[in-house]
Amino acid sequence: MKLYDSHRAPNPRRVRWCMVEKGIEDIEIVPIDIFKGEHRTPEYRARAGLSNVPVLELDDGTAITESIAICRYLESRYPEPNLFGRDAKEIAIVEMWMRRAEMLLATPLMLAVRHSHPALAALEKQVPEFAATYLAGAQRALPLFNRRLGESPFIAGERLTIADIVAFTGLDFARMVKFRPDASLNHVMQWAETMRQRPAAAAGA
Ligand SMILES: N[C@@H](CCC(=O)N[C@@H](CS)C(=O)NCC(=O)O)C(=O)O
């Protein structure tokens, strides 16, 4: 298998993080420089189906895009440690928090960076007003995560799951535009430090 990956890009980083948590070492990493447009060539699009990273290419040539779909595939192939929940209730709770992390934090923060950081002007027709709106939305969502993290050490419960990976990689990417959770959100701050200390934090960062 091959993973088409871009250094520092937040969506591939989710996959790299899952790989480290699961100890997966038999996937070849193929670096793609999105700033040089290596993902926009006809060859790449023909292989991947669209001009995005990450892409997981299976040995039979099947291309899986969407970071969460790739992480779910890895979860099926390498079930331990579990990152998506074990029984009906836990799977639903993890999914709920993963979706909240993606819709309320990671996606708005990624769009804020895309619309305001000079380096991203190569990829996006930037509208700085969008960035301000997205950043304010993410800041408004953080108290929900702070309350949750006051009840459990990780977002979906007692152990790390895909919800933490999605939330943290989104927040960490937004440091590019100097976004920081409000310091009064002590549970978020403590959880973020725990995430930063994990060996997987270095993968793809
Ligand atoms: N929903 C997709 C998003 C993929 C995505 O937007 N990837 C970015 C890098 S983080 C990308 O390929 N950007 C290239 C571009 O916008 O041209 C996923 O989760 O994998």
Side-chain angles (χ1 to χ4, degrees):
M1 285 188 282
K2 292 180 182 169
L3 180 73
Y4 295 83
D5 175 42
S6 282
H7 188 56
R8 295 214 176 120
N11 291 294
R13 191 177 175 202
R14 296 171 177 176
V15 178
R16 300 288 304 275
W17 193 303
C18 286
M19 286 171 61
V20 175
E21 294 290 345
K22 289 176 174 292
I24 302 171
E25 291 177 348
D26 56 350
I27 297 178
E28 181 189 342
I29 305 294
V30 182
I32 297 293
D33 189 335
I34 56 178
F35 295 105
K36 288 190 181 152
E38 289 177 358
H39 62 310
R40 292 186 176 171
T41 64
E43 295 76 25
Y44 185 92
R45 215 188 319 262
R47 179 184 290 121
L50 80 181
S51 292
N52 268 346
V53 283
V55 177
L56 183 69
E57 188 176 58
L58 307 187
D59 293 339
D60 69 0
T62 303
I64 304 174
T65 61
E66 293 303 322
S67 52
I68 300 300
I70 296 171
C71 293
R72 280 194 190 281
Y73 177 80
L74 297 180
E75 175 95 340
S76 300
R77 292 282 308 271
Y78 309 80
E80 297 298 334
N82 175 283
L83 295 175
F84 281 86
R86 292 189 191 280
D87 56 23
K89 180 173 150 187
E90 202 192 29
I91 290 168
I93 298 291
V94 172
E95 178 83 19
M96 175 181 83
W97 281 105
M98 180 190 68
R99 285 175 164 271
R100 288 176 172 175
E102 182 149 50
M103 290 188 285
L104 301 176
L105 293 178
T107 300
L109 290 171
M110 286 178 211
L111 287 170
V113 176
R114 280 186 79 100
H115 279 283
S116 59
H117 195 283
L120 277 291
L123 298 177
E124 190 69 62
K125 188 172 182 319
Q126 293 182 320
V127 182
E129 292 79 11
F130 287 175
T133 304
Y134 290 132
L135 290 176
Q139 204 61 268
R140 270 198 311 276
L142 276 168
L144 169 71
F145 292 87
N146 196 57
R147 284 195 299 279
R148 174 64 178 174
L149 288 164
E151 298 162 355
S152 59
F154 292 98
I155 291 176
E158 295 302 312
R159 60 189 169 79
L160 175 119
T161 67
I162 188 71
D164 301 287
I165 296 169
V166 168
F168 181 79
T169 51
L171 282 169
D172 209 39
F173 184 59
R175 289 164 52 139
M176 278 180 75
V177 292
K178 303 195 178 356
F179 179 88
R180 299 273 190 287
D182 192 286
S184 66
L185 301 172
N186 56 326
H187 301 301
V188 167
M189 300 305 266
Q190 199 180 334
W191 160 87
E193 191 47 38
T194 305
M195 293 296 286
R196 209 168 285 121
Q197 297 303 324
R198 292 183 86 89

